[in-house]
Amino acid sequence: MASPPPSDRIALPDCPVATGAVLVALSGGLDSTVLLHLLAADASIRARGLRAVHVHHGLHADADAWAVHCARACTALDVPLQVARVDVARDAGRGLEAAARAARHAAFADALGHGEVLALAHHRDDQAETFLLRALRASGPDGLASMRAWRGFAAGWLWRPLLALPRATLHAWAMRHGLAWLEDPANADPAHDRNYLRHQVMPLLRARWPEADAALARSATLSAEASDLLAQGDHAALAAARDAGQTDRTQRETAAAPPVDPGLSITVLQALPAARRARVLRAWIIELALPPLPATGVAQITADLLHARNDSVAAFAWSDAVVHAWRGRLHAGQRLPPLPADWEAGWDGRAPLPLPGGGALSLVGAEGFDTPLKAHARRGGERIVLPGRTHSHALKDLLQAGALPPWQRARMPLLSAPDGTLLAAGDAVLSARLETWLRARGAGVRWWHMA
């Protein structure tokens, strides 16, 4: 089926949410110029609030002129414009194009208010190119889904209302309405993969298959549908692995101590088909807002962690993250160093006490301690008198017998009285003396340990 000729009018799809101002990402190129023109002519969009944002990367000699061009276009349409100047990290190790994209998305996130909609001008040709790029990178259904027309973004939403339209339709609209747009010379550089596809590969495909763009974009849509179905199964399997063996565990949820992920049952993970297990592990890591697993991550976790001895502590680390296997479960979090051996700080309990490297101690339910206590790192040999006991116990033995993982013990802060008596190890072990004081006031100590 060949692409239809450009229409005399472009009917934008309805925005999926009926409220929230619309923020147009305006580069000044053909696509975003047409999108701005169309949205500015839509009374319902005007009524909810319309403005534009132009990201000034400072990478081209004409960058200032581009910002001026966008300002003139917005003035002509009576649309407020924000020019966001960004610093592109040239030494981030991911290439200038990727660094500029990251800076641009960060600027969009900063400019977008709560519940607002960011409108991007990607069209069907862009979608076809993205699908090919993802296929050449050996992506699965999630990657081949390419760009979504609608998804959550920052504090609001991201909308691509032109995604079903070919670029030819946008070009015809711009010519018919006398719109002026910019041409970024970087878009013609075949050194960039997308430009190579756009200028070298796609013309050949269209010459043989005139409907190539539509077919590739349709494949992206079908991949998105498959990805969504797979995601439903992933979430069910993830919930089962997270919940298994947790019926007797309680989750501390206070302002001082956010919920801690209970980890995943190794037994449940072992029972899953390999493909499902890989998806569940990746979904889990994404849900925890950790860096994506590297290409070999799933294989290494499967080989080294899912078959580790129950009494051992095996780990797989990457970037600033780590997955541990301990007592039949996988636990993931930030890779944090132990508390410095010489760390100590006075603490009166009136405000949370930040810990080196992250986390905090808080006193909940009381204004403060009668006298300031000393918070400090473990140094070895500590002993503590537990509630209901008259003799002391070695703290090391209590922690090894408890449910606190070894990597958390290494970051556990201790609390001691001015006379040196050990009062608490985080919030996992309380002395008889501190427990009596807290109970009399209906108070508690909370340790937020982040991982």
Side-chain angles (χ1 to χ4, degrees):
M1 181 179 66
S3 300
S7 170
D8 285 339
R9 65 184 297 271
I10 295 177
L12 294 178
D14 292 335
C15 184
V17 296
T19 60
V22 175
L23 177 66
V24 184
L26 180 64
S27 69
L30 168 69
D31 310 334
S32 63
T33 297
V34 170
L35 178 58
L36 174 68
H37 188 256
L38 291 169
L39 291 174
D42 189 316
S44 65
I45 295 295
R46 285 277 196 182
R48 59 196 285 173
L50 175 66
R51 65 186 195 281
V53 58
H54 172 76
V55 179
H56 187 305
H57 299 88
L59 298 176
H60 192 276
D62 293 330
D64 288 340
W66 294 346
V68 171
H69 170 89
C70 291
R72 289 172 178 163
C74 288
T75 298
L77 295 171
D78 193 25
V79 175
L81 173 69
Q82 172 188 351
V83 176
R85 295 178 178 268
V86 299
D87 292 321
V88 178
R90 298 170 182 262
D91 57 351
R94 51 187 173 181
L96 187 60
E97 187 179 10
R101 182 169 56 250
R104 187 164 57 250
H105 286 186
F108 291 156
D110 288 341
L112 195 67
H114 181 74
E116 293 184 339
V117 178
L118 174 68
L120 300 183
H122 296 114
H123 47 71
R124 194 178 72 186
D125 298 34
D126 295 325
Q127 184 77 311
E129 293 162 6
T130 301
F131 181 86
L132 276 179
L133 284 171
R134 300 284 178 83
L136 291 169
R137 293 167 185 164
S139 297
D142 297 340
L144 294 177
S146 304
M147 294 182 288
R148 302 290 184 129
W150 178 259
R151 66 175 176 85
F153 176 76
W157 306 94
L158 187 152
W159 182 34
R160 295 184 172 99
L162 305 180
L163 202 55
L165 298 175
R167 187 179 188 275
T169 297
L170 306 185
H171 186 269
W173 180 271
M175 296 297 292
R176 186 176 303 116
H177 292 274
L179 303 182
W181 65 89
L182 301 167
E183 293 288 355
D184 184 349
N187 290 335
D189 184 356
H192 300 307
D193 291 343
R194 183 177 291 274
N195 290 342
Y196 181 80
L197 284 180
R198 179 174 299 165
H199 299 297
Q200 302 293 326
V201 176
M202 291 304 299
L204 292 175
L205 292 178
R206 294 188 191 104
R208 176 75 183 214
W209 298 282
E211 73 284 1
D213 295 275
L216 293 171
R218 177 59 180 161
S219 291
T221 299
L222 294 174
S223 296
E225 293 173 355
S227 176
D228 290 343
L229 287 175
L230 287 169
Q232 292 177 18
D234 297 341
H235 292 150
L238 177 57
R242 179 175 279 138
D243 293 343
Q246 295 301 293
T247 54
D248 295 330
R249 293 169 64 97
T250 58
Q251 184 77 276
R252 295 192 312 270
E253 297 185 25
T254 71
V260 176
D261 186 83
L264 305 183
S265 164
I266 289 177
T267 300
V268 172
L269 290 173
Q270 289 173 331
L272 293 174
R276 175 68 73 187
R277 180 169 59 240
R279 291 182 60 89
V280 165
L281 288 171
R282 292 193 183 99
W284 178 48
I285 294 303
I286 291 172
E287 188 177 295
L288 295 177
L290 296 172
L293 282 170
T296 61
V298 170
Q300 290 188 248
I301 290 172
T302 300
D304 300 338
L305 274 62
L306 296 190
H307 302 285
R309 296 196 326 269
N310 198 49
D311 59 349
S312 68
V313 182
F316 172 72
W318 75 103
S319 299
D320 294 322
V322 62
V323 175
H324 295 277
W326 185 66
R327 293 189 179 180
R329 300 188 76 81
L330 295 187
H331 300 269
Q334 295 179 16
R335 184 162 44 163
L336 300 172
L339 284 181
D342 59 352
W343 174 78
E344 62 179 51
W347 184 42
D348 61 11
R350 297 183 182 281
L353 176 67
L355 302 177
L361 273 175
S362 294
L363 176 63
V364 180
E367 292 185 358
F369 297 112
D370 297 336
T371 56
L373 306 182
K374 182 175 74 172
H376 58 95
R378 293 176 61 197
R379 298 186 177 93
E382 295 90 358
R383 301 186 68 84
I384 190 169
V385 177
L386 297 178
R389 308 290 177 86
T390 57
H391 61 282
S392 65
H393 296 263
L395 179 61
K396 177 182 178 180
D397 295 340
L398 294 174
L399 293 178
Q400 288 179 344
L404 196 68
W407 61 92
Q408 292 180 8
R409 297 176 210 158
R411 290 194 48 79
M412 171 179 280
L414 305 187
L415 282 178
S416 293
D419 62 7
T421 301
L422 183 61
L423 299 178
D427 56 3
V429 182
L430 300 181
S431 70
R433 179 171 161 184
L434 180 59
E435 196 270 344
T436 299
W437 187 92
L438 293 171
R439 187 175 64 248
R441 292 159 179 79
V445 172
R446 294 291 179 262
W447 171 36
W448 172 28
H449 45 77
M450 299 178 63

